[in-house]
Amino acid sequence: MQQLSGQDAMFVHAELEGMPQHIGGVSIYDQSTAPGGKVRFKDILALLQSRVHLSPIFRRKLVSVPLGLGQPYWVDDPHFDLEYHVRHIALPKPGDWRQLCILAARIHSRPLARDKPLWEMYIIEGLDNVHGLPKHCFGMLLKVHHAAMDGATGSRFMSLMLDPTPEPAEVAPAPPWQPEVPSPASMLGKAWLDAWKMPVQAVGLLRQAVPTLGRLYRGYREHAFEPRQSPPRTRFQGHISANRVVDAVRFDFEIVRAIKQLHPGATINDVMLTIVAGGLRRFLQETRELPAASLVAGCPIDVRSPEEKMAGGNMVGFMGVSLCTHIEDPLERLRAVHEHSLQAKAYAAALGPRLALELTDLVPGNVLALGLRLAAATGLTESSVTFNTIVTNVPGPPIQQYFCGARLVDALSLGPLLPNIGLFHVVYSAVQNKQGSVTLSFTACREMLPEPARYAECLQASFDEMATLVAILAPAAGKATRNPPRKASRRATTKAPRKAPRKAPRRATPKASQKTSRRTG
């Protein structure tokens, strides 16, 4: 039995109607590397059955404290049924990339059953018409409630099911499993003891207040960071519907790294934020909705100490970074994003990245749940804009991985939408020996973004624009960047874009485009 932290519980209480709070993704595997060249569904069930004891996430469910007097608990589910959680489906015809995104969005929009362990897995066949994939690939869509893990723990969770070679590794046999469900009286007793700890925790936070205020004062005085303007309201702010759209673009890591070299000190994160900024700017210009003020991205940061690296759950802080969408020139935008990123990191360090984490532990579960529901019912959650979008970075595995012997060849990530924030980006890097790819996925409210394919093209065009600068300004960066890439699409047919106020990047040879993106069709 384990009680949720305040931040873990927040994702439970924030799961309002039409706003499920789970994370996940779709990974795609080439089964030609598996023994016999084929992976059967029963092989997948057998592998998972042999490994469910390696993580408590597989077999534990939530149980609420009576009257909401404490945060919920994780307890083992005595009725755990693996075949309920692992499902076998096929992609509807024609079975192309667009159909895969539609299916993933529909599955991702459905909340997880609260009376079961909070995860589901879908094995998806019928991907033969997804351009660029080997024949007979299959997909694995996994979704896990955010209360159980964040992006950092999610990577470790996936690694429990994958292997570094086509031959599945032998794992230690499972110890005897004797699930116990706590009684309501025992949970009330634990909640009563926890209530006595809150004054001590509150005093600890008050002791941190004076040095925190001192750091903030010095930061403003020394111009390490400046007051950030309130973000403008865009189409991605407002009521979140129950329906989702997803899509992704994939970039060559070598070119992303070459773009980073255009400005001294810039990071891969700065480059990806600049690409997102360019995509949003282009898309909102086409719809004549681009605000004069810059959009702001909320960027989660892992606040685990070295001793907490293997801890589960969520340990996440947030920093707000200006995307500088008011700047037209992409190189100037990269420089500005880098400067704002440095300021955001300095502000987060001065404030203390764990402050919000510790504050959530002081709020009783029933008060937090009631407050969130009242805010949603009265429209308070939509009255002010904190961020226009979320951009989070999830590092991929540094080695090639296999699932039941099938080689991992592609992936896209799925994120949760937050109140008043209807667009969520995930940057997923799959880099081995400094070679590989960076996938930029997004999840959005379908009413706010009814044309996800068009927004994906805007993100691709933003990348192409910066890659063209590499070809012009840094020809020695490598052969892969010698020619400016052309815009590409992963689907066979695409709706014609609206008339844009700026010319699209010039097209280059097909050879160059193949090195920049998998979105070809």
Side-chain angles (χ1 to χ4, degrees):
M1 184 174 74
Q2 178 186 351
Q3 191 171 32
L4 274 67
S5 69
Q7 191 173 64
D8 293 343
M10 183 174 293
F11 288 107
V12 175
H13 302 313
E15 194 166 52
L16 307 175
E17 184 178 357
M19 203 176 301
Q21 294 298 301
H22 50 254
I23 60 177
V26 180
S27 47
I28 300 175
Y29 301 89
D30 176 12
Q31 57 183 328
S32 66
T33 60
K38 188 173 181 62
V39 176
R40 300 183 182 277
F41 185 63
K42 65 179 182 181
D43 299 330
I44 294 173
L45 288 175
L47 181 137
L48 293 174
Q49 186 65 59
S50 69
R51 301 187 181 189
V52 292
H53 64 286
L54 299 180
S55 172
I57 292 176
F58 283 113
R59 297 186 293 192
R60 67 185 185 184
K61 65 178 183 179
L62 282 179
V63 174
S64 299
V65 176
L67 306 177
L69 295 178
Q71 304 293 14
Y73 282 85
W74 291 115
V75 301
D76 289 332
D77 180 10
H79 306 295
F80 172 72
D81 179 5
L82 180 65
E83 293 192 32
Y84 167 84
H85 295 273
V86 186
R87 303 162 189 189
H88 191 187
I89 60 177
L91 196 65
K93 293 183 179 181
D96 56 17
W97 173 254
R98 184 76 250 127
Q99 291 296 121
L100 179 60
C101 289
I102 292 171
L103 178 65
R106 287 175 178 169
I107 294 174
H108 191 65
S109 66
R110 297 197 297 263
L112 293 160
R114 285 286 187 90
D115 61 339
K116 308 279 186 185
L118 294 178
W119 67 278
E120 291 175 359
M121 179 186 293
Y122 295 80
I123 304 302
I124 308 171
E125 294 193 62
L127 310 184
D128 285 352
N129 286 322
V130 178
H131 186 83
L133 293 183
K135 292 295 183 183
H136 309 303
C137 283
F138 68 90
M140 183 248 280
L141 188 156
L142 177 68
K143 60 182 191 179
V144 184
H145 202 283
H146 215 325
M149 66 184 188
D150 55 19
T153 51
S155 297
R156 294 195 297 272
F157 181 69
M158 281 294 297
S159 295
L160 297 176
M161 296 177 280
L162 305 180
D163 296 287
T165 66
E167 186 66 30
E170 294 290 334
V171 299
W177 186 54
Q178 297 176 335
E180 295 183 7
V181 178
S183 65
S186 65
M187 287 190 289
L188 282 172
K190 182 69 166 56
W192 184 79
L193 292 175
D194 289 338
W196 285 99
K197 299 177 184 177
M198 286 187 180
V200 178
Q201 293 174 313
V203 170
L205 283 177
L206 288 174
R207 287 176 177 172
Q208 298 178 35
V210 174
T212 297
L213 290 174
R215 291 193 300 269
L216 291 174
Y217 175 75
R218 287 193 300 271
Y220 284 119
R221 185 184 62 189
E222 298 168 3
H223 301 286
F225 41 82
E226 302 290 343
R228 179 167 54 83
Q229 299 295 322
S230 298
R233 185 173 292 274
T234 71
R235 63 160 55 206
F236 302 113
Q237 278 61 68
H239 176 72
I240 308 296
S241 75
N243 301 311
R244 301 288 178 265
V245 293
V246 303
D247 209 327
V249 286
R250 190 179 187 191
F251 310 131
D252 190 304
F253 177 72
E254 183 180 354
I255 299 178
V256 173
R257 188 172 55 177
I259 295 171
K260 178 176 75 75
Q261 302 302 322
L262 293 175
H263 179 65
T267 65
I268 297 295
N269 283 346
D270 295 337
V271 173
M272 299 309 298
L273 286 171
T274 306
I275 291 172
V276 170
L280 282 168
R281 175 184 170 86
R282 183 178 295 263
F283 182 81
L284 293 175
Q285 272 187 327
E286 292 182 2
T287 59
R288 302 184 184 277
E289 298 172 327
L290 180 65
S294 173
L295 274 64
V296 176
C299 300
I301 50 177
D302 189 357
V303 299
R304 288 175 172 83
S305 65
E307 296 76 22
E308 296 170 329
K309 287 299 180 184
M310 299 307 294
N314 293 266
M315 292 187 182
V316 179
F318 264 91
M319 65 180 188
V321 181
S322 173
L323 292 175
C324 305
T325 49
H326 61 291
I327 299 177
E328 180 178 4
D329 182 80
L331 183 55
E332 289 300 319
R333 194 186 310 127
L334 173 61
R335 292 170 180 164
V337 167
H338 172 63
E339 291 302 317
H340 283 282
S341 294
L342 292 178
Q343 289 193 28
K345 291 173 184 176
Y347 181 82
L351 184 64
R354 299 179 68 97
L355 180 63
L357 194 69
E358 294 168 355
L359 279 173
T360 57
D361 287 332
L362 293 179
V363 183
N366 55 352
V367 174
L368 180 59
L370 179 61
L372 289 170
R373 281 168 172 75
L374 284 175
T378 58
L380 186 62
T381 55
E382 302 166 16
S383 62
S384 62
V385 181
T386 306
F387 306 120
N388 297 111
T389 184
I390 303 295
V391 183
T392 183
N393 195 323
V394 178
I399 58 173
Q400 179 63 59
Q401 292 185 314
Y402 300 82
F403 182 49
C404 287
R407 181 172 62 96
L408 175 63
V409 295
D410 204 354
L412 69 91
S413 303
L414 306 170
L417 300 186
L418 305 177
N420 212 31
I421 306 176
L423 179 61
F424 193 108
H425 299 84
V426 182
V427 178
Y428 177 83
S429 55
V431 180
Q432 293 107 34
N433 299 321
K434 297 184 178 181
Q435 294 182 344
S437 62
V438 180
T439 301
L440 177 57
S441 311
F442 62 87
T443 305
C445 168
R446 193 170 73 187
E447 291 185 4
M448 295 178 175
L449 188 62
E451 299 181 41
R454 182 58 198 143
Y455 179 58
E457 289 176 351
C458 289
L459 291 172
Q460 179 67 50
S462 176
F463 170 80
D464 291 348
E465 189 175 41
M466 301 191 73
T468 300
L469 289 177
V470 173
I472 295 172
L473 301 177
K479 293 181 180 180
T481 63
R482 191 162 293 169
N483 295 317
R486 66 179 177 88
K487 294 202 304 182
S489 172
R490 198 168 187 170
R491 56 195 57 77
T493 58
T494 307
K495 295 178 70 173
R498 301 181 183 90
K499 184 178 180 181
R502 296 179 58 212
K503 293 176 66 176
R506 73 180 180 87
R507 294 178 180 270
T509 60
K511 181 178 180 180
S513 67
Q514 290 171 2
K515 293 184 179 182
T516 60
S517 175
R518 280 279 310 283
R519 295 183 60 83
T520 55

